[in-house]
Amino acid sequence: MILCCGEALIDMIAEPTLSGQQGFVPHSGGAVYNTAIALGRLGARVGMLTGLSSDMFGQQLTAGLQISHVDTTHVIKSNRPTTLAFVQLKDGHATYNFVDENTAGRMLTAAEMPVQLQGVSALYLGGISLACEPCADAYAQLLFRHGADRAVMLDPNIRPDFIKDQTKYRTRLNKMIAQADIVKVSDEDLDWIIPGPETLSEKIPLLTQAGPKLVILTHGSAGATGYTADGSKVTVPVQKVQVVDTVGAGDTFNAGVLAELDQAGCLTKPGLRSLSNDGLRNALEKGAKVAAITVSRAGANPPWAHEL
């Protein structure tokens, strides 16, 4: 089973009301939650490790996991509130304002992380959970405890506004990158992780030298490129569709990559070390395909396997 570890929250998406004023409609979301949902819909065995509230929004999130066949054994329940992200869409692109103080997800501690992860073959981590404390430290400890003999994918999805102590965040993130087998970054993520005058192509080897066997660099509408530690490079284009919005696009892309690697038997540490260019291309193309469906409809609404 692939265990997705990180935030689950409610996207409050602006929509006009009958009176003409703007209102907000609650949609289940969060980067790691979206990836778990997408994996479940694609038919992968997947579970979620997160903190969920017992409030009405926490119940909505739980129901969404169950409907999409995501195992909830490792969900940690509490009476704290659910994180809310108020989303504004402009030309299909989303900007966010978060309400995240003292929430069920953010307040997870290392002591609450599971001691055993029976049946878990791979870990996926990322999103704002890697920046917000104390949960960021808890997820880092989870990785250090359980990542040595499992395939690990990391998507930092860096949001500078969430980083209160940049030195501490960089130190923790760099240690997690060293533990990861796959790191997915955007252009902006890579420039933040490795600041300096070097080009993106010059920064990739610096990142693979840190430990990952595979780095995936996404270029928005220009597609995605996978770089292996031995210097191989594979680029795939995006699939052209009519874009409704980009909410959940990257999260669904990650799910497609993980699902394809898992189905091919490559989502292991040895499998990723020996991943062929064809295997990498198949994974990137699957990611692009499922992401294209997601952006063609409103909100983070990943496709089911039959829709492919």
Side-chain angles (χ1 to χ4, degrees):
M1 182 172 72
I2 303 167
L3 187 63
C4 296
C5 311
E7 76 269 12
L9 52 82
I10 294 293
D11 287 324
M12 302 294 285
I13 298 180
E15 292 186 16
T17 66
L18 291 176
S19 67
Q21 292 184 315
Q22 181 175 275
F24 287 90
V25 178
H27 296 262
S28 298
V32 180
Y33 181 92
N34 292 339
T35 299
I37 292 291
L39 279 165
R41 293 184 180 184
L42 291 173
R45 288 195 62 221
V46 59
M48 179 101 192
L49 193 164
T50 191
L52 288 185
S53 175
S54 57
D55 66 15
M56 61 182 290
F57 295 129
Q59 294 171 28
Q60 176 179 325
L61 290 163
T62 300
L65 291 172
Q66 294 169 344
I67 290 169
S68 294
H69 311 304
V70 180
D71 185 281
T72 58
T73 300
H74 295 295
V75 168
I76 301 164
K77 293 289 186 70
S78 75
N79 292 324
R80 294 188 177 98
T82 297
T83 298
L84 303 179
F86 288 84
V87 185
Q88 295 279 4
L89 295 172
K90 185 175 182 180
D91 299 326
H93 295 278
T95 57
Y96 300 84
N97 288 305
F98 288 85
V99 180
D100 192 39
E101 293 299 321
N102 198 40
T103 58
R106 181 173 183 170
M107 298 308 293
L108 286 183
T109 64
E112 295 175 282
M113 293 292 111
V115 176
Q116 301 291 331
L117 288 179
Q118 293 182 349
V120 173
S121 56
L123 299 174
Y124 169 77
L125 304 98
I128 63 172
S129 295
L130 303 187
C132 299
E133 298 173 1
C135 70
D137 288 325
Y139 288 119
Q141 288 301 314
L142 177 84
L143 173 57
F144 302 150
R145 180 184 297 169
H146 297 292
D149 55 355
R150 295 174 171 88
V152 177
M153 181 172 181
L154 183 71
D155 179 2
N157 194 12
I158 293 168
R159 297 180 185 273
D161 290 346
F162 275 85
I163 302 169
K164 304 302 181 185
D165 185 332
Q166 188 174 127
T167 300
K168 185 175 181 180
Y169 175 78
R170 283 190 183 276
T171 300
R172 181 174 55 234
L173 181 61
N174 288 339
K175 289 180 179 178
M176 296 181 78
I177 288 172
Q179 288 273 114
D181 301 289
I182 308 170
V183 175
K184 197 287 285 286
V185 288
S186 66
D187 300 0
E188 294 85 358
D189 291 337
L190 184 55
D191 281 334
W192 196 95
I193 294 169
I194 305 177
E198 298 88 356
T199 64
L200 292 171
S201 60
E202 290 171 335
K203 291 179 180 182
I204 290 293
L206 300 177
L207 195 55
T208 56
Q209 289 168 18
K213 303 171 183 66
L214 172 63
V215 172
I216 300 172
L217 178 63
T218 56
H219 315 280
S221 61
T225 303
Y227 300 83
T228 61
D230 65 6
S232 297
K233 171 184 171 182
V234 173
T235 298
V236 301
V238 298
Q239 298 201 1
K240 300 298 183 181
V241 295
Q242 185 67 41
V243 176
V244 175
D245 67 52
T246 60
V247 178
D251 311 326
T252 309
F253 174 87
N254 292 343
V257 169
L258 286 168
E260 180 62 28
L261 290 172
D262 187 44
Q263 188 174 13
C266 297
L267 194 58
T268 63
K269 289 188 181 298
L272 292 170
R273 275 194 296 268
S274 59
L275 185 65
S276 67
N277 283 357
D278 285 343
L280 175 54
R281 182 175 291 104
N282 290 341
L284 295 176
E285 288 178 346
K286 182 70 162 284
K289 187 172 188 176
V290 295
I293 295 175
T294 297
V295 302
S296 71
R297 52 201 191 189
N301 184 10
W304 294 83
H306 70 267
E307 295 182 83
L308 303 187

